[in-house]
């Protein structure tokens, strides 16, 4: 949902945590704990990953552009671009302390760790500073989701200042750095609401709901025609914000949406008969050969031929 320059030539200002972070290199939480020397008492309880849902549907292409009763997108699932992996950036980010240590099971050389495996490891962390470290990049201080406010060197660390004891770094923030600059007030508000809603959702969802979201996002990477960012926004009740983001994305691509009327620029959906004609046109000769006396020239089209054959417009079984 962000413009290409933020994912390509300007990517070093907002590197993908999913592709280049410490956890993406298969670093276990226990190794991170030893390296950054966490000595505080655990402040988080490891989250137990729910059992697999036997009723979870298998991902399959969903060609419909309607994401909600009142929201239609101009972008089909599977057509939106995301980050692409830069091998030099990935190899440069291999943590030095992990070069001779055992990585997480499932790690592969030259390939970011699977999303599901990475999520499980992050949920096992017992301190927020461990998560911040795993989500960082060893060669760049700021990533797409910057969590430096929770680094172990400053998080809940205190210092004396003119007779007072103050926190070295009192912020409790995560910096979202992907969005491009804009002076459009609607875009500013929409991005702000999306950020806040994402944090609210993660904080309030049940373990089962949170894990479903993680699985959906993981499968969006391998099955982009099944799930994309607009599906996520709709599920988070951000339909109006999705409209604004869609308009912003259309502007970046030079697409003009007349007066916000999405359906006016979409191609006409194919009818059943048009799909049959496209699929079966080469079969006309077979039909004529198998049905003596029936010729498409007499009936004008393959559809009328099939109707005359008593198939109700459905091709006969050969």
């Amino acid at each position: 949902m962000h413009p290409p320059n933020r994912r390509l030539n300007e990517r070093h200002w907002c590197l993908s945590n999913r592709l280049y972070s410490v956890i993406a290199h298969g670093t276990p939480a226990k190794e991170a704990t030893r390296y950054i020397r966490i000595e505080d008492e655990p402040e988080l309880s490891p989250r137990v990953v729910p059992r697999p849902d036997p009723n979870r549907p298998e991902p399959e292409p969903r060609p419909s552009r309607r994401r909600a009763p009142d929201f239609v997108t101009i972008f089909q699932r599977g057509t939106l671009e995301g980050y692409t992996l830069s091998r030099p950036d990935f190899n440069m980010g291999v943590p030095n302390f992990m070069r001779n240590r055992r990585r997480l099971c499932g790690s592969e050389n030259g390939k970011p760790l699977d999303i599901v495996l990475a999520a499980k490891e992050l949920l096992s962390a017992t301190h927020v500073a461990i998560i911040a470290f795993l989500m960082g990049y060893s060669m760049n201080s700021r990533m797409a989701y910057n969590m430096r406010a929770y680094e172990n060197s400053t998080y809940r660390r205190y210092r004396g200042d003119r007779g007072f004891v103050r926190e070295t770094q009192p912020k409790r923030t995560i910096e979202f750095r992907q969005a491009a600059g804009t002076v459009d007030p609607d875009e500013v508000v929409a991005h702000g609401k999306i950020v806040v809603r994402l944090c609210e959702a993660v904080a309030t969802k049940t373990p089962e709901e949170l894990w479903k979201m993680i699985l959906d996002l993981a499968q969006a990477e391998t099955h982009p025609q099944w799930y994309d960012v607009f599906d996520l926004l709709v599920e988070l009740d951000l339909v109006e914000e999705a409209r604004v983001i869609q308009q912003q994305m259309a502007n970046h691509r030079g697409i003009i949406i007349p007066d916000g009327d999405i359906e006016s620029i979409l191609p006409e959906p194919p009818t059943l008969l048009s799909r049959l004609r496209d699929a079966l046109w080469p079969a006309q000769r077979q039909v004529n050969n198998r049905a003596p006396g029936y010729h498409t020239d007499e009936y004008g089209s393959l559809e009328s031929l099939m109707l005359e054959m008593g198939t109700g417009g459905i091709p006969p079984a050969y």
Side-chain angles (χ1 to χ4, degrees):
M1 79 186 223
H2 301 291
N5 62 299
R6 297 297 286 172
R7 293 179 277 107
L8 299 174
N9 55 311
E10 295 181 8
R11 68 178 182 274
H12 293 97
W13 300 108
C14 51
L15 278 174
S16 167
N17 304 73
R18 187 269 172 279
L19 298 181
Y20 304 108
S21 64
V22 174
I23 186 67
H25 289 279
T27 305
K30 290 184 178 179
E31 293 292 349
T33 302
R34 295 191 189 98
Y35 179 72
I36 61 177
R37 299 179 181 179
I38 295 290
E39 298 175 355
D40 301 336
E41 291 293 324
E43 65 173 15
L44 300 174
S45 298
R47 300 290 291 270
V48 177
V49 175
R51 293 181 178 179
D53 181 2
N55 298 318
R56 180 176 174 83
E58 290 294 324
E60 58 184 29
R62 295 190 291 172
S64 173
R65 299 174 191 257
R66 186 170 294 279
R67 310 305 181 88
D70 58 343
F71 180 51
V72 178
T73 63
I74 63 174
F75 302 105
Q76 283 188 312
R77 296 178 180 90
T79 61
L80 298 178
E81 310 90 352
Y83 278 98
T84 56
L85 179 67
S86 166
R87 296 289 180 187
D89 287 339
F90 182 81
N91 294 333
M92 189 182 301
V94 176
N96 288 327
F97 73 93
M98 282 298 298
R99 294 189 183 274
N100 296 315
R101 296 179 181 272
R102 185 184 298 275
R103 296 185 297 165
L104 288 169
C105 181
S107 301
E108 299 180 38
N109 290 329
K111 182 179 178 181
L113 185 67
D114 176 79
I115 290 177
V116 173
L117 297 177
K120 288 181 178 179
E121 195 65 16
L122 290 171
L123 291 174
S124 74
T126 58
H127 197 282
V128 68
I130 301 172
I131 298 175
F133 177 77
L134 291 173
M135 288 290 283
Y137 180 57
S138 60
M139 300 297 293
N140 190 308
S141 62
R142 297 186 180 184
M143 304 194 72
Y145 304 103
N146 174 32
M147 302 183 66
R148 291 195 66 190
Y150 296 92
E151 285 185 341
N152 190 45
S153 60
T154 55
Y155 174 66
R156 291 188 174 176
R157 301 298 181 223
Y158 299 88
R159 59 184 173 83
D161 182 13
R162 299 181 181 181
F164 296 94
V165 176
R166 304 181 188 276
E167 282 194 79
T168 302
Q169 197 286 102
K171 293 190 295 183
R172 299 288 181 269
T173 59
I174 298 174
E175 182 185 13
F176 289 68
R177 298 178 54 83
Q178 287 174 300
T182 180
V183 293
D184 185 303
D186 291 335
E187 294 176 2
V188 172
V189 172
H191 280 283
K193 287 185 176 181
I194 290 171
V195 167
V196 172
R197 181 70 187 107
L198 278 172
C199 295
E200 289 177 345
V202 172
T204 59
K205 283 183 177 294
T206 65
E208 291 74 19
E209 291 170 337
L210 178 61
W211 192 243
K212 176 186 178 300
M213 176 188 289
I214 292 171
L215 293 180
D216 286 342
L217 295 174
Q219 290 188 325
E221 184 175 78
T222 56
H223 299 80
Q225 293 181 325
W226 175 75
Y227 192 90
D228 67 12
V229 66
F230 287 111
D231 294 307
L232 175 63
L233 294 178
V234 169
E235 290 178 2
L236 294 175
D237 297 323
L238 293 168
V239 173
E240 293 306 316
E241 290 71 24
R243 292 188 212 278
V244 176
I245 296 303
Q246 172 165 255
Q247 183 64 64
Q248 184 184 39
M249 293 167 64
N251 293 340
H252 290 152
R253 291 162 173 78
I255 302 173
I256 299 176
I257 304 176
D259 299 324
D261 182 8
I262 301 298
E263 300 200 26
S264 68
I265 65 173
L266 294 179
E268 288 292 327
T271 63
L272 173 61
L273 293 181
S274 67
R275 291 199 296 269
L276 288 171
R277 180 175 59 247
D278 294 340
L280 299 176
W281 190 263
Q284 286 188 68
R285 293 182 181 178
Q286 297 180 27
V287 173
N288 289 335
N289 292 336
R290 291 171 182 268
Y294 286 88
H295 302 285
T296 56
D297 290 341
E298 295 179 27
Y299 294 92
S301 68
L302 179 60
E303 298 93 66
S304 55
L305 170 63
M306 290 188 293
L307 289 169
E308 183 67 19
M309 292 175 69
T311 64
I314 304 301
Y318 297 138

